[in-house]
Amino acid sequence: MSNFYEERATMIAAGDLQEFVPFGRDHCKHHPNALNLQLRQLQPASELWSSDGAAGLVGSLQEVTIHEKQKESWQLRKGVSEIGEEVDYDEELYVAGNMVIWSKGSKSQALAVYKAFTVDSPVQQALWCDFIISQDKSEKAYSSDEVEKCICILQSSCINMHSIEGKDYIASLPFQVANVWPTKYGLLFERSSSTHELPPGPPREPLPTMFSMLHPLDEITPLVCKSGSLFGSSRVQYVVDHAMKIVFLNTDPSIIMTYDTVQSLHSVWALRRVKPEEENVVLKFSEQGGTPQNVATSSSLTAHLRSLSKGDSPVASPFQNYSSIHSQSRSTSSPSLHSRSPSISNMAALSRAHSPALGVHSFSGVQRFNLSSHNQSPKRHSISHSPNSNSNGSFLAPETEPIVPELCIDHLWTETITNIREKNSQASKVFITSDLCGQKFLCFLVESELQLRCVKFQESNDKTQLIFGSITNIHAKDAAPVEKIDTMLVLEGSGNLVLYTGVVRVGKVFIPGLPAPSLTMSNTMPRPSTPLDSVSTPKPLSKLLGSLDEVVLFSPVAELRDSSKLHDSLYNEDCTFQQLGTYIHSIRDPVRNRVTLELSNGSMVRITIPEIATSELVQTCLQAIKFILPKEIAVQMLVKWYSVHSAPGGPSYHSEWNLFVTCLMNMMGYNTDRLAWTRNFDFEGSLSPVIAPKKARPSETGSDDDWEYLLNSDYHQNVESHLLNRSLCLNPLEVSQMKDEDFSQNLILDSSTLLFTHIPAIFFVLHLVYEELKLNTLMGEGIRSLVGLLVQLARDLKLEPYVDHYYRDYPTLVRTTGQVCTIDQGQTGFMHHPSFFTSEPPSIYQWVSSCLKGEGMPPYPYLPGICERSRLVVLSIALYILGNESSVSDESSQYLSRIAIVPQKSQAEQEENRFSFRHSTSVSSLAERLVVWMTDVGFTLRDLETLPFGIALPIRDAIYHCREQPASDWPEAVCLLIGRQDLSKQACEGNLPKGKSVLSSDVPSGTETEEEDDGMNDMNQEVMSLIWSEDLRVQDVRRLLQSAHPVRVNVVQYPELSDHEFIEEKENRLLQLCQRTMALPVGRGMFTLFSYHPVPTEPLPIPKLNLTGRAPPRNTTVDLNSGNIDVPPNMTSWASFHNGVAAGLKIAPASQIDSAWIVYNKPKHAELANEYAGFLMALGLNGHLTKLATLNIHDYLTKHGSNLIGMSDLNVPEQLYQYMVGGHRRFQAGMHREKHKSPSYQIKEGDTINVDVTCPGATLALAMIYLKTNNRSIADWLRAPDTMYLLDFVKPEFLLLRTLARCLILWDDILPNSKWVDSNVPQIIRENSISLSEIELPCSEDLNLETLSQAHVYIIAGACLSLGFRFAGSENLSAFNCLHKFAKDFMTYLSAPNASVTGPYNLETCLSVVLLSLAMVMAGSGNLKVLQLCRFLHMKTGGEMNYGFHLAHHMALGLLFLGGGRYSLSTSNSSIAALLCALYPHFPAHSTDNRYHLQALRHLYVLAAEPRLLVPVDVDTNMPCYALLEVTYKGTQWYEQTKEELMAPTLLPELHLLKQIKVKGPRYWELLIDLSKGTQHLKSILSKDGVLYVKLRAGQLSYKEDPMGWQSLLAQTVANRNSEARAFKPETISAFTSDPALLSFAEYFCKPTVNMGQKQEILDLFSSVLYECVTQETPEMLPAYIAMDQAMRRLGRREMSETSELWQIKLVLEFFSSRSHQERLQNHPKRGLFMNSEFLPVVKCTIDNTLDQWLQAGGDVCVHAYLSGQPFEESQLSMLACFLVYHSVPAPWHLPSVGLEGSTSFAELLFKFQHLKMPVRALLRLAPLLLGNPQPMVM
């Protein structure tokens, strides 16, 4: 029996046995491609396993030929999630034939196909690889780069790469690839070599054998190798050794393991980027002769790789395997014959390099091939001339440049040479594993010798290289790492599965349902046996284990719950299963802690290796102990624990802690069976024989001892004190004191155990874990469990202060007396007391309390990585309370002492630093520093909620500070922590790619089908209804701009008209109206600018351009195509072009469209070509045309006109001046004369110039060159002539352009008033120009009135236009008034009697120009007065109103509602230029008129439009809303810095004018966007539809619901301030907060019900607390208020079983009275109170009263007994602890130094107690006890 016990003692039970079939296999069968796989004689799955029973071939990759069976392979890896969260599922990549199937699991489901690929030729290998997309090739850039995750599929001649984003790459391979490996940098290829490459003859330089490709689009480049030689100098060369095979490649650390087939040695290399100096060595060109040593990198290699990448077939390649070129004769002739055949004489160059050990072969590049013709002879010697001849180089094409290598391997380690080394000892499997203490091993399995060799390695201290250590051999047939629990599984030759950690054996793995081989082999007689617990056996087991007869398998033994019996019965059978054949054959596919076992019968099962511990408490304790012990001991301890924990029938979650305590105490030398509190731990029946030797089976009847034990147990004590017990009046039972003597004699610790010497260290780290857990309110149960263990250890180590400390924390759990185990005095010397051990227990609460009181404290000890909360709390208190900004910036903080195993300076030197509050730069900055630092270390709101409320208070205070005035550019995490969802959502949206924003209107496409699509359905109604809420102007604009409905043709038929004439009359009228209809699309494009996100699967809807009419009363159709009247040819071509542009401009720049979609929109009918042309122009304007593929661009250009016109350079001012004013050409020097001969007589007439043609262009060119320069000399050229003689030379229209140009140059002189406008008119005109309203004309011979009046109106129009440019998009009121006045004036002139002098055409032109200027100033604002003007002009259709004027009026209307009110105009230089082109003040006379100005340029306004609408969106409802903004302008030369209040949604002024924008309270949380730091943040907000998230403050309603602010919660309660708590009805809360927690709190705790009785008081309290939290914006304080209230009540009822809540209240009170808080209040007097000022004194007073009453009621006796060290009543335990904690009473052993007795006066006491830091109020309470006869206070 004993050997059975040994066997079992180290058994580990694996869980979760499941049959494993690669998921891809089944999918392959049903995949459409499966048909041609069947042609290849695909066997059924059962026969895929080779019939000889060995499954070794399964994963192998061999060339698939028709004669072989179908090969399959697969690999698994841990699932990778897109978001970056922790996931735990498998991904599988399965390869069979031409198919690759990638399947992955997820949290919710099992494996499912993710992608399936089918390629043209059999897949040789498939793998995952991450390529780095980066320009920077240096090593350091690697951490931050973007990665393109790809799947690579290797075929014989090419490799396909498919990225997750959907990009596909294909690279042809210049050589046959034996193997491809994924690396950290890209792919690594091994060229396959064959024996044919070793011809006899003079040694030539070989070709490289390893190549790398860093990105699918990069070249394939050879690998460089750097190896140390015997003499210490390292050599750099290409990798050319055919004997070197890669057996393993790892990405982190980036290493390669190779095997040398000649020497049978494994080596390890580091893979890294090539350094520049190494590049130079291998690329060096020789200056002298071309000796093989220093010939350049084979340019033929270069040329070959290059030509191949151009797509030549690889067959002619010198890299090719010889055999594949001559495959047809492979069967007959031998290789030796082939190698002499003349056809391949070039291949002779590929000689084999010698391996390094045989003398290093010199190498610096591949020797160039001789490609000359005379080498084609069979004679060998003619190939190479003398070694020094330079002839080899002569055949090269000069332009081939060498290929620069990119990766280098650096030699790290080679295994030592042994004498008896077999030839084929190549590692069949290599992996890296780490042991339980984090030491790493590189393990490689040499199957031929059944050895697993493990090499220990570690990083050097500077992290730059790896250092390899000794090698350990483990006998193994197969092995696999179990990375999740830092172990590995080893399959021994005997068939046992054994778990190792590093090289330490943990124990055998017992798999329920599989036989244990050692037992199976012993007896050949098959006998049925008891099955294992059939619950854990999955159903298909019977299939796996062969055809076991069902009756036999499930034997009639009832299921046994008692696991010990079960194991006995199992192991006492000599043989487990009758099928001797099924043993484990190999292990594969390890992922996390799951691994697949291949059984010898061909089936596979997947098992899970159990984790080290499942409960958080045990995990934390194990980590801490592991951290403190020396590595070897730590591993032994963990191994022991693991084998106990994972024994078959191991513990459940609850008993895991008990098991841990028992196991740990046993290892420390305790006998847990004799120790009262561990003796009866409940292991839920799973007390496996591991823990204690087998006990005799106890009698079934039980004994008296059992009852005694129960009465003494903690459980009994708890029951006795239970309320129920009192209410049932049960009398306490008399406990006969347990017979202690029979225990105490044996309780001596065994000093020979593993952990005995380390007990103090372990105790101390467990104490730190205990303090850490106190900072997590969710771990209460764990703390109580831990206290039991700590108290026992503290008593045995005789550490009174610690026992006292635990007693004060948990008075009911920690009795003052208890069972002590003696530690032999002789042995205590062996105990190792670490340097960090302190006699006073470190207490985190005490530390924080001392900081708040401003007392000094020693640094707080902390375990890195384990006590992270303690570190966080200590540092945040140091930063925020002590005001030390450097506390969080440097690692080695003076507030923490890191615990390390190396001894630190002794405790005496770590004197207490007195901490004082330092004044920092600004107090608010401390809060900001704290909040930003906390999010940097990953602290979230959920962590904050689990901190105890007293500890969390300073952090919450800082958060409260930051919430009021946050910075707008804080990252999302910070905003979440401070509870500003508006900001965090903004930050989150800011990181998203530009896509559909919140506000894009998702109009379902079906809604508007009944009515014709007028192209304006996609406008965002929600926002527009907020901007223009008081009228229906938007509908009106839609009505004016639609061109899809027939127009109404209203002509009265006079009696004298015949019917035929009447029809002609109607059609003529329709023709007039059509002039207007054709002019509408340009304006409509402006109105709908960027308002639509197209669906990629649907073409863009382009509204019809409807040129028919309807005539009342019978609504008959009027059509222009009836042939009754003459219609101009091609009349509609430009109109439909504009219609196409308008439709195309609807597409928002953020839309996702691609080349295919653009081509897809191409119309089928030729007549729509104009529209499509316009659509393409629009795409160019909004930036989408860049997505058009080059091929398509070429297509369009060749089809639609091939001559692309270049612009001639006119950039010379004098020449421009001449072009503007005309006259004789200045004489030019001979050289330049020819240049200016122009064949065109439109421009030049002899020596003079046709000014009519050149003047406008030249004028505007000057304006653009000198735009905004305020250059007066140039501006004077442009002054209007001031004599009648000169005026006669200039066309009046050109005066408009000159005035405009002059004003644009003198930009800063433009002033928005009519006086300035008039100042542009020369005196002669001003004096003599007629006032148009006068009746009779003044007569004057020498003045031409017509010229003067025309000049006058044009100059005024020019000045107005420049005013429009200067104030474009500014909504400047004075500019608006000025322009509006002139517009009205021109309207009156038009109807004046003598308008004919000036000419109606000129007046209409000027009116249109002024209207456009007006619309520019008010762009996007939808101003009503301008809209009225446009509407009036829309109705005028007769007379002079031609196409051009309609165009101008509707452009004005479009500008006014630019982009539906979301866009405005910019005044940057490029915008002015674009507007100048678009609004050029000469309008076409009819729809085909392009003489003076190309109509297409009218759309360039897009380049000047910029999004400037800011839309507040309520973060809770996600709806746009109103919010008050305060905009601060920077000061300029015209005005000081000013503030303006705007009600958003509103158009902002141009951003460069602004200093800051602020969302103002009191409705919404304030939010500041500071533009002095840069406008990037605001620009990105505006470009995403201007969404600015805002959050309503509690107690406030939005402006829509409550425009005047009379309904807010605060407003309601002002009236009855005194009774505010009662007046606040919980029902009303729903209007004021959206927080579900607060709503349900009001619902359940604040609603009065019938007959409340004494509950009314609590209800009132809760209501007022809720009111407080809501109005002061601190809902997060609600739990703290309630916890404090509950703690006070519990204390009043004397039911405090633990003192942590009292500690928290104490910390809260100390925080509010701390100096730092007082100073903050003085600095911010206005700031809201963080906690109600009336609540805290009440709390303080209540607690004081309760404790004082207790003192008077006999508590003083108790306190005195405690202080003098005498026993006291058990019933007083908890109240005494509360008193000691609350009043900070020092422990009794601090008092003797004071000399308690004998003090006579309070003053004396004060003096004696001053170093104990005890508060005076506490001392006052102790005075009566300490002073024997209390003296009166006053002496």
Side-chain angles (χ1 to χ4, degrees), residues 1286-1555:
L1286 287 172
L1287 270 174
D1288 273 337
F1289 279 100
V1290 186
K1291 214 171 168 183
E1293 221 178 318
F1294 292 170
L1295 288 174
L1296 188 156
L1297 292 178
R1298 283 204 198 178
T1299 311
L1300 171 63
R1302 177 164 180 271
C1303 297
L1304 289 180
I1305 292 173
L1306 301 177
W1307 183 259
D1308 291 341
D1309 294 0
I1310 303 178
L1311 297 174
N1313 55 47
S1314 47
K1315 204 165 130 217
W1316 175 83
V1317 175
D1318 287 331
S1319 71
N1320 284 285
V1321 183
Q1323 195 181 356
I1324 179 170
I1325 300 181
R1326 233 178 317 174
E1327 288 170 356
N1328 294 298
S1329 173
I1330 50 165
S1331 143
L1332 287 175
S1333 48
E1334 286 173 15
I1335 311 296
E1336 72 276 2
L1337 300 175
C1339 47
S1340 167
E1341 308 79 53
D1342 53 345
L1343 295 180
N1344 181 341
L1345 276 184
E1346 197 179 346
T1347 309
L1348 283 178
S1349 58
Q1350 288 180 5
H1352 190 176
V1353 292
Y1354 274 123
I1355 288 173
I1356 292 221
C1360 288
L1361 190 53
S1362 69
L1363 198 60
F1365 281 120
R1366 174 70 179 82
F1367 294 101
S1370 70
E1371 301 186 40
N1372 182 305
L1373 193 60
S1374 31
F1376 167 74
N1377 288 331
C1378 171
L1379 289 170
H1380 192 256
K1381 166 189 163 306
F1382 280 108
K1384 286 292 211 196
D1385 286 354
F1386 279 120
M1387 303 273 278
T1388 41
Y1389 293 167
L1390 268 168
S1391 52
N1394 45 18
S1396 54
V1397 178
T1398 322
Y1401 174 82
N1402 297 330
L1403 284 174
E1404 289 283 4
T1405 305
C1406 293
L1407 177 60
S1408 304
V1409 167
V1410 176
L1411 188 62
L1412 281 170
S1413 317
L1414 202 48
M1416 265 200 286
V1417 174
M1418 305 308 284
S1421 70
N1423 179 285
L1424 211 50
K1425 287 185 171 173
V1426 190
L1427 175 58
Q1428 285 163 349
L1429 285 176
C1430 294
R1431 196 167 54 186
F1432 173 75
L1433 291 167
H1434 173 86
M1435 301 318 293
K1436 286 176 62 175
T1437 49
E1440 283 286 344
M1441 290 303 282
N1442 60 22
Y1443 169 78
F1445 294 142
H1446 283 303
L1447 187 67
H1449 303 157
H1450 291 95
M1451 278 178 78
L1453 182 59
L1455 278 178
L1456 193 62
F1457 287 86
L1458 190 59
R1462 287 174 307 127
Y1463 282 75
S1464 187
L1465 297 173
S1466 151
T1467 57
S1468 64
N1469 292 352
S1470 53
S1471 305
I1472 297 287
L1475 283 172
L1476 207 47
C1477 301
L1479 309 179
Y1480 179 72
H1482 189 296
F1483 305 106
H1486 48 80
S1487 62
T1488 49
D1489 175 11
N1490 282 298
R1491 280 173 308 184
Y1492 288 94
H1493 183 258
L1494 182 66
Q1495 285 188 39
L1497 302 180
R1498 295 278 169 209
H1499 297 281
L1500 292 187
Y1501 67 86
V1502 178
L1503 305 177
E1506 59 176 8
R1508 288 224 295 274
L1509 181 74
L1510 201 56
V1511 185
V1513 172
D1514 186 312
V1515 71
D1516 295 315
T1517 60
N1518 221 8
M1519 296 285 284
C1521 59
Y1522 292 110
L1524 193 61
L1525 297 185
E1526 181 184 85
V1527 176
T1528 311
Y1529 289 86
K1530 291 181 196 158
T1532 64
Q1533 61 188 63
W1534 293 282
Y1535 51 84
E1536 303 290 302
Q1537 177 171 320
T1538 45
K1539 289 195 166 114
E1540 184 190 9
E1541 286 197 349
L1542 301 170
M1543 181 63 83
T1546 176
L1547 286 169
L1548 295 177
E1550 288 195 70
L1551 304 190
H1552 64 84
L1553 303 172
L1554 302 183
K1555 183 169 178 219

Side-chain angles (χ1 to χ4, degrees), residues 743-1048:
F743 274 112
S744 51
Q745 70 254 21
N746 306 8
L747 291 186
I748 294 180
L749 265 67
D750 175 2
S751 59
S752 63
T753 46
L754 179 67
L755 300 181
F756 178 79
T757 53
H758 300 283
I759 292 178
I762 291 176
F763 168 72
F764 191 69
V765 293
L766 287 179
H767 172 79
L768 290 181
V769 168
Y770 164 79
E771 290 292 327
E772 167 80 1
L773 295 181
K774 272 163 51 174
L775 296 178
N776 186 346
T777 50
L778 303 180
M779 292 299 288
E781 197 186 338
I783 304 179
R784 287 190 279 279
S785 312
L786 190 52
V787 164
L789 173 62
L790 288 172
V791 171
Q792 183 68 55
L793 293 176
R795 284 203 185 116
D796 299 346
L797 292 169
K798 304 192 174 51
L799 297 168
E800 276 307 309
Y802 282 87
V803 180
D804 181 65
H805 175 73
Y806 302 136
Y807 158 68
R808 290 183 182 209
D809 280 347
Y810 286 93
T812 51
L813 286 179
V814 182
R815 301 279 137 54
T816 41
T817 59
Q819 198 178 10
V820 178
C821 300
T822 47
I823 296 175
D824 191 0
Q825 284 308 310
Q827 303 292 353
T828 44
F830 293 121
M831 277 198 184
H832 166 61
H833 273 268
S835 57
F836 49 77
F837 196 93
T838 51
S839 52
E840 276 297 305
S843 161
I844 188 76
Y845 291 168
Q846 189 57 56
W847 197 93
V848 173
S849 168
S850 297
C851 282
L852 290 169
K853 288 192 267 190
E855 298 165 356
M857 280 299 277
Y860 185 81
Y862 114 101
L863 291 168
I866 297 156
C867 298
E868 284 306 311
R869 280 196 168 203
S870 311
R871 171 172 180 266
L872 189 105
V873 167
V874 166
L875 292 182
S876 48
I877 294 288
L879 171 69
Y880 193 59
I881 301 299
L882 307 172
N884 180 358
E885 294 215 21
S886 62
S887 63
V888 291
S889 51
D890 49 354
E891 263 309 294
S892 54
S893 168
Q894 74 219 51
Y895 304 101
L896 288 170
S897 63
R898 276 177 78 112
I899 287 188
I901 308 180
V902 294
Q904 291 180 317
K905 58 177 178 175
S906 65
Q907 204 51 45
E909 297 169 45
Q910 290 188 343
E911 72 300 327
E912 299 189 352
N913 344 11
R914 264 192 83 78
F915 299 152
S916 61
F917 179 65
R918 313 181 185 180
H919 294 279
S920 72
T921 44
S922 75
V923 183
S924 64
S925 72
L926 273 183
E928 290 182 16
R929 275 294 296 274
L930 177 64
V931 171
V932 172
W933 170 73
M934 294 192 94
T935 43
D936 284 347
V937 295
F939 187 79
T940 62
L941 267 180
R942 291 198 45 194
D943 297 330
L944 184 60
E945 281 160 14
T946 56
L947 277 180
F949 64 87
I951 295 281
L953 191 71
I955 299 174
R956 288 204 186 276
D957 187 62
I959 285 176
Y960 186 66
H961 257 297
C962 295
R963 192 182 301 158
E964 283 294 333
Q965 284 143 352
S968 59
D969 50 356
W970 277 349
E972 186 183 351
V974 178
C975 304
L976 275 176
L977 184 61
I978 62 173
R980 290 290 300 263
Q981 296 95 316
D982 48 343
L983 290 173
S984 56
K985 192 152 181 193
Q986 195 82 55
C988 160
E989 302 259 324
N991 303 333
L992 296 176
K994 286 190 178 179
K996 282 195 94 158
S997 86
V998 194
L999 298 179
S1000 16
S1001 48
D1002 293 319
V1003 183
S1005 47
T1007 49
E1008 306 227 358
T1009 42
E1010 314 83 65
E1011 49 172 292
E1012 284 276 306
D1013 174 22
D1014 60 2
M1016 292 176 271
N1017 301 341
D1018 306 294
M1019 307 299 291
N1020 187 351
Q1021 304 301 333
E1022 247 178 302
V1023 178
M1024 292 201 300
S1025 64
L1026 276 182
I1027 307 177
W1028 299 295
S1029 53
E1030 61 278 357
D1031 52 37
L1032 300 176
R1033 62 185 84 176
V1034 179
Q1035 271 88 313
D1036 217 22
V1037 174
R1038 260 184 92 156
R1039 183 179 59 78
L1040 297 177
L1041 288 178
Q1042 64 81 24
S1043 55
H1045 301 289
V1047 286
R1048 187 184 153 118

